Amino acid sequence: MDNIDKIFDSFVSNNLFRDKSVLQSNYSPQVILHRSQQIEYLASILGPSLSGDRVSNIFLYGKTGTGKTLSARFLAERMETKANLAGTNLKFLYVNCKSKKISDTEYRIIAELIKSLGKTIPITGLPTDVVYSRFIDIIDDKKQVVILILDEIDQAVKKISDNFIYTLTRMNSELKNAQISIIGISNSLTFMDNLDPRVRSSLGEEEIVFPPYNALQLRDILKERAEIAFNDSVLDEGVIPKCAAYAAREHGDARRALDLLRVAGEIAVREGSKKINLSHMDEANSKIERDKMLDIIESEPTQFQLVLKAIMNLDDHEEKTIFTGDVFNVYQEICEKTKNEILTQRRVSDIIAEFDMLGIINARVISKGRQGRTREIKLMLSPNIKEKAKEILQKSLDL
DNA sequence: GTCAATTCACATGAAAGAGACCACGGTCTAGTG
DNA sequence: CTAGACCGTGGTCTCTTTCATGTGAATTGACGA
């Protein structure tokens, strides 16, 4: 009882946060710091759309958390209001190709686009070309300029194929009244290189690079947001610089920096502390790291967890490096014990590759001469995460 | 000793099947006037 | 007569399996010095 009261009290009387939403990633600030160059350039390219002209397709790229999405949406909003005043039909459609809902299929991306136009379409069940033509119909309904913002477009292309973009860029030729342009946003800098040349030239009519923020710029951003988010003088000296430094190490990811600050705040509130200090920061940093991993592990399907379990068992017992064959054997044992279906080696091999992508393990393809070719696997979880991960696996596999 | 062929133990690709899902459209049922 | 429940259809999606082909170096064995 008392404890619960205490917990509640710490929330009620918490005078650290003024407005926490400012630190959430979907918050869009009034001003965007250190991006004026990019934004102005973008604006100058998009400008003609205000008078109803088609504008070049644009390709934005930069690492995560460099303000690509933010800048694009910021400008989209401003331009839409401007267009309203001027009486031009200008529409921005924003789609994140990576979000779970979309789950990276051509069909759903179009479906999402249609939905954001206010029309609906079955989530599945229609042939893809029908969806396209319906999309075209809707857009071509009246004279307007439509600008598609395709966020994380590299993900879409990886899962689907690049002729998806090609179709989109070619769509203009089928439109009679409307004009369509594309803003592609990508995290990967090399994304453009392995595209079909036709797509590359049509998508990349203009390119804007978003360089990572350096520690100083991050500091400015953090300071600005922190002033709104926190009450006065709750941040210890050095918290923001440290936060900026952490994030700068992670290739200048501003989103990460803001998360860090928010979590540090939350930890401080929970502790009932009056201030946020450096130790909160450190804790926040490891918590974010840990949560991310554990979340991934927990949400993984059963078979993936079984394979991971096999890898962890091997990692526990043996000092020597782990190979695919070993994993598969242990995996089979575990499956028999837990009465799970046993997948083929082929599939397990893919699963291991996916773990590699997730950063849970580090796998390297090596050739051992006569002993064949295999992956050399190393578990990349730090000890305390590993323990937690074990618990999660126990829970979700045994019962 | 040297060099090419062999061979291992998988990696990597392609294709195709199983099972789940979902809107659509038609049919059936029950409730309403 | 109409709204809602219920089914079959046609399509997609994801997860797997099956079949095929690729691969890099340790090993082998033939060859020549």
Side-chain angles (χ1 to χ4, degrees), chain A residues 78-256:
Chain A
R78 296 259 310 241
M79 288 186 70
E80 273 186 343
T81 45
K82 195 91 180 170
N84 271 341
L85 290 177
T88 23
N89 274 323
L90 173 61
K91 254 211 153 63
F92 282 88
L93 301 182
Y94 174 86
V95 187
N96 188 333
C97 306
K98 201 178 146 196
S99 81
K100 294 234 172 65
K101 214 171 53 186
I102 310 280
S103 93
D104 36 55
T105 82
E106 195 170 356
Y107 186 102
R108 295 208 190 150
I109 288 172
I110 306 296
E112 185 68 17
L113 287 172
I114 291 176
K115 214 171 88 195
S116 57
L117 277 166
K119 303 281 197 309
T120 52
I121 195 161
I123 304 203
T124 166
L126 255 58
T128 316
D129 52 331
V130 174
V131 187
Y132 269 112
S133 59
R134 214 181 279 189
F135 179 57
I136 290 174
D137 285 348
I138 293 172
I139 288 186
D140 212 19
D141 185 40
K142 59 183 175 201
K143 185 167 166 44
Q144 61 179 343
V145 179
V146 177
I147 299 179
L148 306 179
I149 303 177
L150 300 175
D151 207 347
E152 321 243 13
I153 198 171
D154 47 336
Q155 298 292 326
V157 170
K158 210 167 67 193
K159 290 278 177 171
I160 317 164
S161 70
D162 48 5
N163 63 28
F164 151 65
I165 303 179
Y166 186 63
T167 320
L168 278 180
T169 56
R170 289 300 307 278
M171 214 176 254
N172 263 318
S173 58
E174 298 192 35
L175 295 169
K176 301 215 168 46
N177 304 313
Q179 301 275 8
I180 192 169
S181 298
I182 299 175
I183 300 179
I185 302 180
S186 156
N187 290 330
S188 152
L189 305 174
T190 55
F191 165 67
M192 281 299 247
D193 298 344
N194 31 32
L195 272 184
D196 188 309
R198 292 174 310 179
V199 179
R200 197 187 314 161
S201 62
S202 63
L203 180 61
E205 287 172 342
E206 298 279 355
E207 293 183 15
I208 304 180
V209 185
F210 283 70
Y213 295 110
N214 61 34
L216 275 172
Q217 293 169 333
L218 282 173
R219 205 181 293 181
D220 285 344
I221 294 168
L222 286 171
K223 212 179 279 174
E224 199 235 335
R225 298 258 191 132
E227 261 171 36
I228 316 174
F230 294 109
N231 282 316
D232 298 332
S233 65
V234 298
L235 286 175
D236 254 4
E237 193 84 7
V239 166
I240 285 188
K242 178 141 190 186
C243 187
Y246 267 136
R249 218 161 41 199
E250 297 263 329
H251 48 252
D253 185 343
R255 191 180 322 165
R256 164 101 186 195

